[in-house]
Amino acid sequence: MTGSLYLGVDGGGTKTRFALMDDDGVLVAEAQTGTTYHPEVGLDGVQQILADGIASVLAQVGATDAGALAYAFFGLPAHGEDTHATARLDAIPAQVLGHDRYRCDNDMVCGWAGSLACGDGINMVAGTGSIGYGQRQGVGARGGGWGEAFSDEGSAYWIAVQGLNAYSRMSDGRRPKGPLHVLINERLDLATDLDLCARIYGPGVGTRAEIAQISRLVAEAARAGDDASQAIYARAGDELSAIVIAIRNQLGFVEGETIPVSYSGGAFSAGELLMRPFTEALHAASPSFDLRTPLHEPHYGAALYAQRIATR
């Protein structure tokens, strides 16, 4: 570890990850805590989760307080989507750090900063929710990320909900039963099909992140040949590519200009089920899209961005 320390925080709908980096870009400490999605845990909950994670990474390098940090970047879910809440989110780190050497933004920035090492281009996040973000010549733009009630297309939550809808149709006889029907009954331990309602709506109802985990069953069913599940992943790829295309248009990439595109988030753990339709839709839209494997994880990207802001 040499010189200054930079903190990166990548919040999310399921977990929050912390990265501590030195001047040479070496990751010297990291930690993971619960979600910082404030509609779920509250603003006081966000503050406590941040305090716990920061204390953990500082302890790992023997630092006694946050004054050791040269700069910090906090990527927080739902930041910028509620004027009142955003103002409060912006103020929380000062209470934890005891100084103002930090910046807050939406967690979408962490995905871009990590996957493209803060370079021009677009990153598509498909985790519990979905959102895209990119920069070109210092100008940023976002797309998607309007929340699970009417958006977050292509996310793990969206895939799970589409899968549950397909299950209900199979149960009713509105479409033929496939492997998805069997998998949901077995993995959710349903005595009858309608017991699914109690699992989703009843006492002890699953959180947003827990419901999103059902996307794994949709992926398993798709690999087992379930037509409905395969179609859901095909639609997910199309939806995610549409977000990238919209961001490209906002950023003003010119004809023939290479557009680096990368990706992050747990929904992509489905592998080719999601990557193939996503890639095909991008290439069909423009040969200028250059899909790239992420260079770094989002929490490390947040630390890189903190260093970039501090040293400009």
Side-chain angles (χ1 to χ4, degrees), residues 124 153-154 158 230-246 268 273-285:
M124 187 65 236
E153 298 89 349
W158 182 90
Q230 291 171 351
I232 289 167
Y233 271 96
R235 287 170 54 206
D238 287 343
E239 293 284 3
L240 296 177
S241 69
I243 294 171
V244 172
I245 292 165
F268 284 107
L273 278 176
L274 185 55
M275 286 301 302
R276 183 181 294 110
F278 179 55
T279 303
E280 289 175 351
L282 286 176
H283 289 164

Side-chain angles (χ1 to χ4, degrees), residues 39-66:
E40 185 173 313
V41 300
L43 292 165
D44 289 340
V46 171
Q47 181 167 334
Q48 186 59 58
I49 289 164
L50 293 180
D52 291 345
I54 292 169
S56 176
V57 292
L58 290 175
Q60 291 173 49
V61 297
T64 57
D65 62 67

Side-chain angles (χ1 to χ4, degrees), residues 131-156:
I131 191 168
Y133 177 79
Q135 285 196 13
R136 177 176 179 268
Q137 299 177 5
V139 177
R142 64 173 279 176
W146 291 83
E148 68 273 13
F150 57 90
S151 180
D152 280 356
E153 298 89 349
S155 69

Side-chain angles (χ1 to χ4, degrees), residues 80-247:
E81 297 164 10
D82 177 328
T83 301
H84 175 69
T86 295
R88 292 191 61 189
L89 287 171
D90 284 338
I92 286 174
Q95 300 170 41
V96 178
L97 299 174
H99 60 74
D100 62 358
R101 298 188 300 277
Y102 71 89
R103 182 184 297 180
C104 293
D105 207 323
N106 194 280
D107 59 304
M108 63 188 180
V109 178
C110 303
W112 159 78
S115 66
L116 296 172
C118 301
D120 283 2
I122 301 167
N123 184 69
M124 187 65 236
V125 182
T128 304
S130 65
I131 191 168
Y133 177 79
Q135 285 196 13
R136 177 176 179 268
Q137 299 177 5
V139 177
R142 64 173 279 176
W146 291 83
E148 68 273 13
F150 57 90
S151 180
D152 280 356
E153 298 89 349
S155 69
Y157 185 95
W158 182 90
I159 291 167
V161 169
Q162 300 304 310
L164 292 172
N165 177 266
Y167 173 92
S168 71
R169 292 171 181 270
M170 291 176 185
S171 180
D172 287 349
R174 289 179 282 158
R175 69 171 303 132
K177 289 181 180 177
L180 179 66
H181 186 267
V182 175
L183 277 169
I184 287 180
N185 280 345
E186 289 180 350
R187 302 299 172 78
L188 299 187
D189 194 23
L190 303 181
T192 71
D193 288 6
L194 283 171
D195 279 351
L196 179 63
C197 296
R199 293 295 302 270
I200 302 300
Y201 308 121
V205 59
T207 65
R208 176 172 171 261
E210 288 169 343
I211 290 174
Q213 294 301 310
I214 295 172
S215 65
R216 296 180 179 181
L217 300 184
V218 182
E220 188 175 344
R223 294 188 185 100
D226 188 271
D227 292 342
S229 299
Q230 291 171 351
I232 289 167
Y233 271 96
R235 287 170 54 206
D238 287 343
E239 293 284 3
L240 296 177
S241 69
I243 294 171
V244 172
I245 292 165
I247 296 170

